[in-house]
Amino acid sequence: MIDPRIQDAVNDQLNFELYSAYIYYSMQSWFENQGMSGFANWMAVQVKEEMSHAQIMFDYVNERGGRVYLKGIEGPSNDWESPLHIYQTALEHEQIVTGRINKIMDLAQEIKDHATVQWIQWFIAEQVEEEASASDIVGKLEWAKDAPGALYQIDKELGARVFNLPSPLAAGG
Ligand code: FEO
């Protein structure tokens, strides 16, 4: 049986993952509107990643005999200024997510919930990737400045991103 404190923490984080999807959806919309289809594709994949993170949390709470309680999802900003502004915001957002995931680990260790300690490790590794990929694109955009040729090249590169089902879901739970 899941500890109620872990159930609450994972439910909260599930909501935050859906909020993350909402933010990236808003960013995708801006890129679509600008005709930057590669950037929009990268964001579309990111939306699916966040939805899959929520799904992993949904499955875990249920698997442990707990209950998922859904709450309202906060509205995202729709005021984006540039690709660099968007990716800087994405990086800052992922740093917040990392802090939240670490807090779930801290709680699981504190109450000696070994199953959750093991389970949350996938997310800790995932956050290293999430921060690295946003940071990498921030670096490229800082280098490109507003040069159309460089932006076109980055757009082309990001257009190649594909969604892969995360391993906890691919493994069937
Ligand atoms: Fe689900 Fe981008 O962290």
Side-chain angles (χ1 to χ4, degrees), residues 13 16-18 20-21 24 46 49-54 57 90 93-95 97-98 101 122-123 126-127 129-131:
Q13 188 56 31
F16 206 77
E17 298 291 339
L18 295 174
S20 304
Y24 291 122
Q46 193 62 26
E49 290 241 339
E50 300 304 348
M51 297 296 289
S52 70
H53 294 166
M57 292 176 182
H93 182 76
E94 290 304 332
Q95 288 164 343
V97 175
T98 300
I101 295 288
W122 184 87
F123 282 98
E126 176 70 1
Q127 281 312 117
E129 295 289 321
E130 291 277 78
E131 286 192 35

Side-chain angles (χ1 to χ4, degrees), residues 15-29:
N15 180 272
F16 206 77
E17 298 291 339
L18 295 174
Y19 171 53
S20 304
Y22 230 34
I23 291 173
Y24 291 122
Y25 224 171
S26 163
M27 292 172 170
Q28 180 189 348
S29 163

Side-chain angles (χ1 to χ4, degrees), residues 10 56-57 60 104 114-123 168:
V10 178
I56 294 166
M57 292 176 182
Y60 183 67
I104 297 176
H114 297 167
T116 300
V117 167
Q118 189 188 40
W119 172 77
I120 202 72
Q121 274 168 11
W122 184 87
F123 282 98

